[in-house]
Amino acid sequence: MKQTLSELMRMSRICRMVFATCLGSFILVIFYFQSMFQPVMRRNPFMVDGCCRKGSRNALQELYNPTQPELSGAAVLHQARRDQVVDACRVYSASSRKRRVLTPGDLKHLVVDEDHELIYCYVPKVACTNWKRVMMVLTGRGKYSDPMEIPSNEAHVPSNLKTLNQYSIAEINHRLKNYLKFLFVREPFERLVSAYRNKFTLKYNSSFHKRFGTRIVRRYRKNATQDALLNGADVKFKEFAEYLVDPATQRDGPLNEHWQTVYQLCHPCHIHYDLVGKYETLEEDANYVLRLVGVGDSLHFPSYAKSTRTTDAMTAQFFSNISTQQQIQLYQLYKLDFLMFNYSTPSYLRLD
């Protein structure tokens, strides 16, 4: 009898322990699920809230299957731009013997926004400072709210934004497949002249004068003064053009990003970009991206100063100062950018 009572008491203790363990596990499970959902409620409007309000649809889904009627018309335009890139790449591939596989080092211009599942390939002289500011707002988790409050030099600090080359191969492939990939382009020669004006005609860009200006003066200017050889601060557009088309420049390595082709910076024949925005319709296209992301009501792309912009007429004036041969060589250098992004051959070019 005593043994039976002892066994009953022992079984009772075991049952209480099992019950306590199960209750504890149940409470832990509830706490785990609460901890998963509560942080989402505290997230800022530039993170995931916009996405979640649309039923967890990401920007990629909204682009190809828009639920907002006002986005449907733009979807047709951007499909046409994608088709243009594909067609140009197909023609180039058929006529070229060059075949290459991208490496992580080729992806350093692709900025990643994990919260909104975006990849932006930045192209210098195509509003990339303002786009980097916007990306800092989107990825900042509340640190920033107004892009124009971010100093321009801070937007170009590499550690402020994460780029695709910082991921493993498997992580890169996953993001290229599942994130919305976009870039912004510009009429190639307007972009080129804009780069020249910014880097070689402004006094504060002394680093470019020293790095590139002195080399250009040394190679292409006869009877250069000692000051020009030392400082490289007065490079002429004709000298810059000669530098670009010189085979020796190609042997020096890749062109600087400010005058490198979009084809070489963003690799649109290797990476399928879902959206191609244009500098000529910058604010419209940029705000379309932000509406796809779901933050269009709280974040707008900054306006830019049209008075200082390099125009077609200004570009024509610069090109009138270089030889027909240089014009032909420059067009060949940037031809793929003209074709892929549907820019017509400029009327001022002397290609005959």
Side-chain angles (χ1 to χ4, degrees):
M1 183 69 177
K2 287 182 180 181
Q3 185 178 3
T4 303
L5 182 60
S6 174
E7 288 177 356
L8 287 173
M9 291 175 66
R10 188 171 49 137
M11 289 295 295
S12 177
R13 285 197 302 272
I14 291 172
C15 287
R16 286 199 300 270
M17 290 173 63
V18 170
F19 176 75
T21 301
C22 292
L23 181 62
S25 299
F26 179 69
I27 293 172
L28 183 62
V29 169
I30 292 176
F31 177 77
Y32 171 73
F33 278 100
Q34 284 180 336
S35 68
M36 286 178 64
F37 291 113
Q38 284 177 352
V40 175
M41 300 302 293
R42 292 194 295 268
R43 283 178 175 175
N44 72 86
F46 303 127
M47 200 164 131
V48 186
D49 288 6
C51 157
C52 295
R53 284 196 300 270
K54 294 185 294 183
S56 296
R57 285 171 59 84
N58 64 15
L60 193 63
Q61 293 168 321
E62 193 62 28
L63 172 65
Y64 289 104
N65 297 288
T67 58
Q68 305 172 62
E70 66 273 17
L71 300 183
S72 300
V76 176
L77 168 67
H78 289 286
Q79 180 62 57
R81 290 181 182 176
R82 286 192 297 273
D83 292 342
Q84 178 71 27
V85 173
V86 170
D87 290 344
C89 289
R90 185 182 297 117
V91 171
Y92 173 73
S93 178
S95 63
S96 175
R97 295 180 179 179
K98 295 179 181 178
R99 295 289 184 273
R100 60 167 301 192
V101 176
L102 296 184
T103 66
D106 295 312
L107 307 176
K108 60 185 179 182
H109 272 247
L110 278 71
V111 176
V112 181
D113 172 7
E114 294 289 357
D115 295 329
H116 300 92
E117 299 184 346
L118 291 177
I119 295 176
Y120 159 59
C121 184
Y122 71 88
V123 178
K125 309 312 300 174
V126 191
C128 81
T129 300
N130 280 345
W131 258 118
K132 286 182 177 181
R133 285 169 164 152
V134 169
M135 294 297 284
M136 286 175 69
V137 173
L138 290 172
T139 61
R141 305 193 175 194
K143 183 177 180 180
Y144 310 103
S145 59
D146 181 359
M148 295 310 292
E149 290 179 352
I150 302 172
S152 59
N153 62 320
E154 190 173 336
H156 294 291
V157 174
S159 60
N160 284 336
L161 290 166
K162 192 167 185 179
T163 50
L164 196 60
N165 62 309
Q166 298 174 35
Y167 293 82
S168 70
I169 298 297
E171 291 170 333
I172 288 171
N173 288 331
H174 170 77
R175 282 155 182 78
L176 288 176
K177 181 179 178 181
N178 295 288
Y179 288 16
L180 185 145
K181 302 166 293 298
F182 72 99
L183 76 164
F184 273 70
V185 299
R186 182 178 186 176
E187 202 279 344
F189 286 163
E190 280 189 22
R191 175 176 169 247
L192 180 64
V193 170
S194 177
Y196 166 76
R197 291 177 65 211
N198 180 256
K199 301 306 177 187
F200 293 109
T201 69
L202 301 177
K203 291 183 179 180
Y204 67 79
N205 269 323
S206 57
S207 62
F208 272 80
H209 303 162
K210 289 281 189 181
R211 183 179 175 189
F212 296 102
T214 54
R215 186 187 312 170
I216 292 172
V217 169
R218 187 170 60 251
R219 285 184 183 177
Y220 311 110
R221 185 178 302 181
K222 295 179 180 179
N223 303 317
T225 65
Q226 195 61 34
D227 181 67
L229 290 168
L230 185 64
N231 297 308
D234 63 341
V235 170
K236 306 297 187 288
F237 185 71
K238 183 178 180 179
E239 296 168 334
F240 178 55
E242 195 169 354
Y243 163 76
L244 290 174
V245 301
D246 189 343
T249 301
Q250 302 297 325
R251 291 194 294 269
D252 289 342
L255 295 176
N256 179 267
E257 62 179 10
H258 292 86
W259 43 85
Q260 179 61 283
T261 63
V262 177
Y263 171 77
Q264 292 288 357
L265 290 176
C266 296
H267 312 286
C269 289
H270 296 80
I271 297 171
H272 174 77
Y273 285 92
D274 304 289
L275 192 148
V276 176
K278 293 200 169 186
Y279 190 75
E280 294 76 15
T281 51
L282 175 61
E283 291 187 42
E284 179 183 344
D285 291 347
N287 287 315
Y288 174 63
V289 174
L290 297 177
R291 288 199 300 275
L292 289 173
V293 170
V295 299
D297 293 335
S298 51
L299 178 62
H300 299 280
F301 194 82
S303 300
Y304 64 99
K306 296 183 180 180
S307 60
T308 60
R309 174 186 162 180
T310 299
T311 63
D312 180 69
M314 194 181 297
T315 303
Q317 183 61 43
F318 276 94
F319 268 73
S320 69
N321 295 320
I322 65 175
S323 68
T324 299
Q325 182 182 6
Q326 286 179 325
Q327 289 189 10
I328 293 171
Q329 289 173 313
L330 282 175
Y331 182 74
Q332 289 301 317
L333 182 61
Y334 292 94
K335 186 176 181 178
L336 261 180
D337 283 5
F338 276 100
L339 297 177
M340 281 192 297
F341 307 118
N342 202 27
Y343 287 108
S344 58
T345 304
S347 59
Y348 54 77
L349 284 189
R350 304 186 298 273
L351 299 181
D352 297 331

